Amino acid sequence: MPSASPSRVVVAMSGGVDSSVAAALLVEAGHEVVGVFMRQGRPPEAGPARPGHQGCCSLADAHDARRVAERLGIPLYALDLTPDFARIIDYFAAEYGRGRTPNPCVRCNAWLKFGRLFDHADAVGAGHVATGHYARLDRDADGSPRLRRGREAARDQSYVLFDVRADRLGRMLLPVGDLPKDEVRSRARALGLATADKPDSQEICFVAPGEHAALVAARLGGSRAGEIVDATGAVLGRHPGIEHFTVGQRQGLGIAAARPLHVIAIESRTCRVVVGPRDAVPEAELTAAEATWLVPPPPEPFACLVQCRAQRPPAPAVVTPLEAGRFAARFTGGPGAGPGPISPGQPAVCYAGDRLLGGGWIEG
């Protein structure tokens, strides 16, 4: 349950069960809740929505959010963020064009849900902004807010919140972070919410799985096709575009080999995809830029856990601060205990136990 004193709270209501229950919990806690549905639009390059693809922010989601708001007796306003969301689509395509693997959910959280939504909160005199993310907020011994993993490890979403500004933590509320998903659905059913049994949205809301390459190619004016080579530069085949690949990938290479091959590098300048054996996939160290720290920026090297993909566990590392908002991480767990493939463009997020310290965007 939220621990903040009752106040006016803007809740991002996506039309899903998590944000629906977040709003319900805030109402129960005595807050004056104002629901906001963020209209983001669907890029024309994504084509029509595929049946069965559960995204978010569609017309059907808006209808579901409206039904929940009516059930809870709270107002719901539609906030048109289509121009702002276009920035996320541009980022998504540009990153693939650079041979990197983007994470649009992190950008959306930082730029929109805990970015532009604060502007709306200020406009309506709201003290807090809330979402249905599975993460927790509490206070340190000195009273400063801290962000922690969600109670249910398998549902934790703190990783995608690392880029939220530290000065906004004190105005954030994450009501479902202490609950397991089963209990969230159970509460939704008990309250008669229309979203109780609605499937979860998928990671990329604006394009169906497996179809992102077509969107990127359309956005960039064509596919970036080229050669598939090994570490010596020997040509093994051709590929339809670097936007189809990410570091560590094994499936879908389109070449025959005597042993399994993985993507070990993507060269955006030459449009070459470099492949090699599993032990050649980078996992030992990384550098990251655009660091965001939710604690005082560390001046010296320190040991922590670093997570490099949303669906992979963190690994022990020594993190060394560098100049210009960058840091390096050297993983110390040995073979088989690393963070998994290190993909440029993905976040590297630092934890002390379950507390999120900060993170940055992997350069290489």
Side-chain angles (χ1 to χ4, degrees), residues 11-25 64-65 68 72 132 188 191 193 195-196:
V11 183
M13 297 184 66
S14 66
V17 65
D18 301 325
S19 60
S20 299
V21 172
L25 291 173
D64 288 340
V68 169
L72 297 177
L191 291 166
L193 302 185
T195 55

Side-chain angles (χ1 to χ4, degrees), residues 319-340:
V319 170
T320 301
L322 304 173
E323 73 290 342
R326 299 167 62 247
F327 64 83
R330 177 176 54 82
F331 293 94
T332 58

Side-chain angles (χ1 to χ4, degrees), residues 50 64 82 92 140 160 165 200 203 207-208 233 289 292 314 327 330 332 335 343 346 352 358-359:
R50 182 203 290 178
D64 288 340
T82 302
F92 182 80
D140 211 341
V160 297
R165 283 170 32 188
D200 292 338
E203 185 175 357
V207 65
T292 297
F327 64 83
R330 177 176 54 82
T332 58
S343 301
Q346 285 287 296

Side-chain angles (χ1 to χ4, degrees), residues 39-122:
R39 293 174 50 200
Q40 299 172 349
R42 182 180 178 87
E45 301 93 332
R50 182 203 290 178
H53 174 230
Q54 185 62 44
C56 66
C57 306
S58 67
L59 288 176
D61 296 317
H63 178 64
D64 288 340
R66 177 70 61 188
R67 293 169 67 191
V68 169
E70 290 175 354
R71 180 71 176 176
L72 297 177
I74 63 173
L76 179 72
Y77 301 97
L79 188 62
D80 187 1
L81 296 180
T82 302
D84 300 88
F85 199 67
R87 178 186 176 198
I88 293 175
I89 306 297
D90 288 340
Y91 146 80
F92 182 80
E95 285 289 271
Y96 270 114
R98 296 171 60 195
R100 294 158 61 95
T101 303
N103 193 313
C105 295
V106 175
R107 292 300 194 189
C108 183
N109 289 326
W111 293 348
L112 302 187
K113 292 175 183 171
F114 293 110
R116 288 280 285 109
L117 207 54
F118 270 97
D119 297 335
H120 182 73
D122 290 339

Side-chain angles (χ1 to χ4, degrees), residues 211-260:
E211 297 182 4
H212 74 276
L215 182 151
V216 172
R219 204 80 170 189
L220 297 182
S223 295
R224 305 200 59 200
E227 298 172 334
I228 299 178
V229 302
D230 65 17
T232 70
V235 178
L236 305 180
R238 291 192 60 82
H239 64 80
I242 60 174
E243 60 271 16
H244 290 266
F245 301 94
T246 185
V247 171
Q249 180 176 331
R250 175 183 171 187
Q251 303 296 327
L253 301 185
I255 56 175
R259 58 177 177 170

